[in-house]
Amino acid sequence: MTIRQHRHPEAVLPAPSILRRAARALGAVLLALAAVLAGGGPAHADFGSDYHDPITAAKPLTRPDTRSCTVEVMHERAFREGYGNPPDTPYAGSLTVPPDCAGPWSMVVLELHGSVAGRQYDRLFTVRVGGVEVLLSSTPEPSKDGIEWRLERDITRYAPVLTGTQPFEFDLANVTNETYTGVFVISASVTFHTTSPKWPAARTADRVLTSGPFALDRSRLTTARAYSFPPNLEALTAELYVRGGGACEEFAYASAPQEFVEANPGRGYCGQGPFRELRLAVDGRVAGAVWPYPVIYTGGWDPLLWRPTPGLFAFELPAYRLDLTPYVGLLLDGRPHTLSVTLNQAEQQSNDSWTGQLNLFAEVDEGSARTTGALTRHQVAAAVEPVTALTDLGGGSGDWTVTARRQDVAEGWVQTSHGRVRTEVSSSQVFGSTQQLREEGAALKLANRLEQTWTTHRRGGGPQRVETVSESVPLTVDYRYGGQDQRTSMVMGRHRTETADGVRRTLDHTYAPTAYRRDGATPVRTASAVETYRSTGPEGPYARTITTRDGWPL
């Protein structure tokens, strides 16, 4: 089954309440649609008939200088109607590894080139190779004259899937009509870089297993699948693609506590609070949790904020990773084992959902036919319930702070041909959200922060290895709508430090946009933004800042 992911066709949050939603049917699909300001939505007239193509300050991939082969897997494919009969998505093609670059590879890169003109909303799309999801992304909203954008994605870690000829699937569900005319035309290619002494073969897993697409909603909070693992399994890593969809869950990070929503009926506020947790379990035993980042697409809140610079995760949604190596000893008995994903809170809107896909990266011990092992320590919370401090000010206004904390540790060993390897994985996750809602929802101040640290210790079978990843993902929003004026300002960031085998890498990425709209006899549409990206690592430092105004870089 293919789960088509789509964006709801309303892009500006509504007045008087930014949390108010309306609903209507679109074909056979029921979508939760946000109400929009008069003159709002993806109007190409916001900055005239043209603005700059999407740009980013993020560091481009450092490509090997080795010989390479490029295979085009999709050429100028038009995505016009994803809900037609028949729909034009998903595109089903194939990827054949070129004999001249048969592997191993130093790097494999997926490259996309897209164009769109007219009037259109942002749309989500997925890319799968051999049934394995390798990219979850979204499109920009176009100008009338048209824009183009490019995206490169390092897919080297999926090398075990890239053998012979594999199915290639590109799923983008668009909708066009008399008003929304934008047709996405996209080409895709894969470049295989060979090796050299300077660029050796990349270290990857030996096998990749996948759950296939899944959906979680109010009626189904858990998805599960049984897997058969190699008998000589040594290490295992999980990768989870997931995103909230629907008018409320897309903006889950800005949702109000359920108690406040129930005390203010009829106002259309989204409930269940701003905290979401997706728990990954091995045979029913919780092994870790994903706390999703706040992802804002190019139509979120106010499209002016993202023209021409997209939000930090909009074009490359996160693939959350969890090290499951301590649990390997439980998976070596030759029987299938179940891995499941469970959502902590169900939204009240029946049409809202979380969709995703789970990939598993298995590493084996080539020196033995069978490994053995055991889980020796398991101190992982079964679930985390957030703590809410709420002040209801009456009249649809209120203040609240929501916090959550998780401290987990698991340890296990695997007996391999090169000795007994002990692995300890510990993690610390802290979430905080402070919101002030005023004027019946016409004014909101929000400050969210997610702090996470993962540490992996491996001992035995060679030198001791310690890997640590620390990450901070902050988001602040200041929104106000009054009369004919709408003002929105944000600061979003990602700050990450990785240390492994004595090598340290840092990333500091911040994006701060502001937008102002005024309706009336003399409409005003103006916006500005500053994006800063800085990184350090063995390849040297990188820094870039982009400042834009009214759709163009300064």
Side-chain angles (χ1 to χ4, degrees), residues 430-465:
V430 179
F431 171 84
S433 176
T434 299
Q435 299 185 40
Q436 297 176 349
L437 189 64
R438 297 290 188 274
E439 300 172 23
E440 298 184 340
L444 172 70
K445 289 187 177 182
L446 175 153
N448 287 4
R449 196 167 189 92
L450 174 61
E451 307 276 356
Q452 304 181 104
T453 299
W454 301 269
T455 301
T456 301
H457 289 263
R458 289 188 171 89
R459 298 180 295 274
Q464 177 174 294
R465 288 154 290 170

Side-chain angles (χ1 to χ4, degrees), residues 2 100 109 131 167 177 197 274 311 379 395 402 416 466 489 503 510 532:
T2 298
D100 289 344
V109 180
N177 52 37
Q379 296 174 332
V402 179
T416 71
V466 180
S489 63
V503 177
T510 302
T532 301

Side-chain angles (χ1 to χ4, degrees), residues 15-345:
S17 167
I18 62 168
L19 303 178
R20 186 165 296 150
R21 306 292 186 244
R24 71 185 184 203
L26 178 60
V29 182
L30 185 64
L31 302 178
L33 307 179
V36 294
L37 295 169
H44 51 246
D46 284 341
F47 291 141
S49 63
D50 194 18
Y51 57 85
H52 197 279
D53 292 342
I55 54 176
T56 179
K59 182 182 179 181
L61 294 179
T62 301
R63 304 285 193 101
D65 58 6
T66 60
R67 181 174 55 86
S68 64
C69 305
T70 298
V71 179
E72 187 175 57
V73 289
M74 188 173 74
H75 180 71
E76 295 185 357
R77 172 75 174 186
F79 294 90
R80 181 185 307 274
E81 181 54 72
Y83 303 99
N85 188 19
D88 59 14
T89 194
Y91 168 81
S94 62
L95 169 62
T96 300
V97 177
D100 289 344
C101 297
W105 308 290
S106 54
M107 180 179 284
V108 184
V109 180
L110 170 67
E111 299 170 272
L112 304 179
H113 172 261
S115 63
V116 60
R119 181 181 173 94
Q120 192 52 264
Y121 297 100
D122 50 347
R123 306 290 179 183
L124 278 165
F125 64 88
T126 57
V127 180
R128 297 183 178 91
V129 178
V132 174
E133 185 163 0
V134 301
L135 174 66
L136 176 57
S137 183
S138 69
T139 65
E141 293 190 349
S143 65
K144 181 179 180 180
D145 291 348
I147 59 172
E148 298 182 35
W149 81 102
R150 296 181 183 274
L151 175 64
E152 58 177 9
R153 167 78 160 172
D154 185 348
I155 61 170
T156 311
R157 65 179 178 272
Y158 304 101
V161 180
L162 306 177
T163 59
T165 299
Q166 294 288 341
F168 176 88
E169 182 181 275
F170 195 103
D171 197 357
L172 192 165
N174 192 24
V175 176
T176 56
N177 52 37
E178 296 170 349
T179 303
Y180 303 109
T181 59
V183 176
F184 297 100
V185 179
I186 301 178
S187 296
S189 63
V190 178
T191 298
F192 298 86
H193 294 271
T194 59
T195 63
S196 71
K198 179 182 176 182
W199 293 94
R203 185 179 182 276
T204 67
D206 299 290
R207 289 182 58 185
V208 180
L209 312 173
T210 186
S211 67
F214 64 76
L216 303 174
D217 57 28
R218 188 182 181 190
S219 63
R220 187 190 184 204
L221 294 180
T222 298
T223 180
R225 178 172 175 175
Y227 301 84
S228 295
F229 294 96
N232 57 344
L233 184 65
E234 182 174 342
L236 186 67
T237 302
E239 173 186 73
L240 183 63
Y241 287 93
V242 67
R243 48 82 55 174
C248 281
E249 287 306 279
E250 179 179 325
F251 302 96
Y253 56 86
S255 291
Q258 190 64 22
E259 178 185 349
F260 179 79
V261 173
E262 293 173 358
N264 292 270
R267 297 181 181 273
Y269 294 157
C270 291
Q272 302 298 336
F275 175 71
R276 296 295 182 272
E277 176 178 83
L278 292 109
R279 297 184 294 274
L280 179 63
V282 179
D283 290 333
R285 188 196 310 257
V286 176
V290 166
W291 293 1
Y293 303 154
V295 178
I296 305 175
Y297 309 106
T298 57
W301 294 81
D302 187 332
L304 301 182
L305 297 166
W306 323 110
R307 297 177 175 172
T309 310
L312 266 59
F313 306 109
F315 282 7
E316 203 165 349
L317 275 73
Y320 305 96
R321 310 196 83 190
L322 294 171
D323 192 338
L324 301 181
T325 302
Y327 303 89
V328 164
L330 305 177
L331 309 175
L332 300 173
D333 56 9
R335 296 195 296 265
H337 291 270
T338 300
L339 271 72
S340 60
V341 178
T342 300
L343 179 64
N344 71 319
Q345 294 185 33

Side-chain angles (χ1 to χ4, degrees), residues 350-532:
S350 62
N351 54 295
D352 278 9
S353 67
W354 286 76
T355 56
Q357 185 160 342
L358 175 67
N359 297 328
L360 300 174
F361 297 82
E363 299 177 42
V364 302
D365 176 17
E366 298 287 0
S368 65
R370 181 174 295 277
T371 54
T372 59
L375 175 68
T376 57
R377 186 183 181 192
H378 180 263
Q379 296 174 332
V380 180
V384 170
E385 292 299 330
V387 176
T388 300
L390 168 65
T391 302
D392 191 332
L393 301 175
S397 296
D399 296 341
W400 56 84
T401 297
V402 179
T403 58
R405 181 180 295 272
R406 175 182 275 275
Q407 299 279 148
D408 297 328
V409 61
E411 185 175 4
W413 59 264
V414 179
Q415 190 67 41
T416 71
S417 61
H418 46 90
R420 176 167 292 193
V421 181
R422 299 181 182 275
T423 302
E424 179 188 280
V425 177
S426 60
S427 62
S428 171
Q429 296 169 274
V430 179
F431 171 84
S433 176
T434 299
Q435 299 185 40
Q436 297 176 349
L437 189 64
R438 297 290 188 274
E439 300 172 23
E440 298 184 340
L444 172 70
K445 289 187 177 182
L446 175 153
N448 287 4
R449 196 167 189 92
L450 174 61
E451 307 276 356
Q452 304 181 104
T453 299
W454 301 269
T455 301
T456 301
H457 289 263
R458 289 188 171 89
R459 298 180 295 274
Q464 177 174 294
R465 288 154 290 170
V466 180
E467 301 174 9
T468 300
V469 177
S470 295
E471 189 170 66
S472 173
V473 183
L475 170 68
T476 63
V477 179
D478 191 344
Y479 173 92
R480 178 176 292 273
Y481 176 83
Q484 296 178 324
D485 289 355
Q486 176 181 306
R487 299 176 184 271
T488 311
S489 63
M490 294 188 180
V491 179
M492 56 172 49
R494 187 186 193 189
H495 311 287
R496 183 179 176 96
T497 300
E498 301 179 36
T499 304
D501 299 327
V503 177
R504 187 171 186 266
R505 291 180 169 84
T506 66
L507 166 66
D508 289 289
H509 194 180
T510 302
Y511 183 55
T514 62
Y516 172 60
R517 293 173 179 265
R518 186 179 68 218
D519 296 322
T522 307
V524 174
R525 303 286 189 268
T526 186
S528 61
V530 177
E531 182 188 19
T532 301

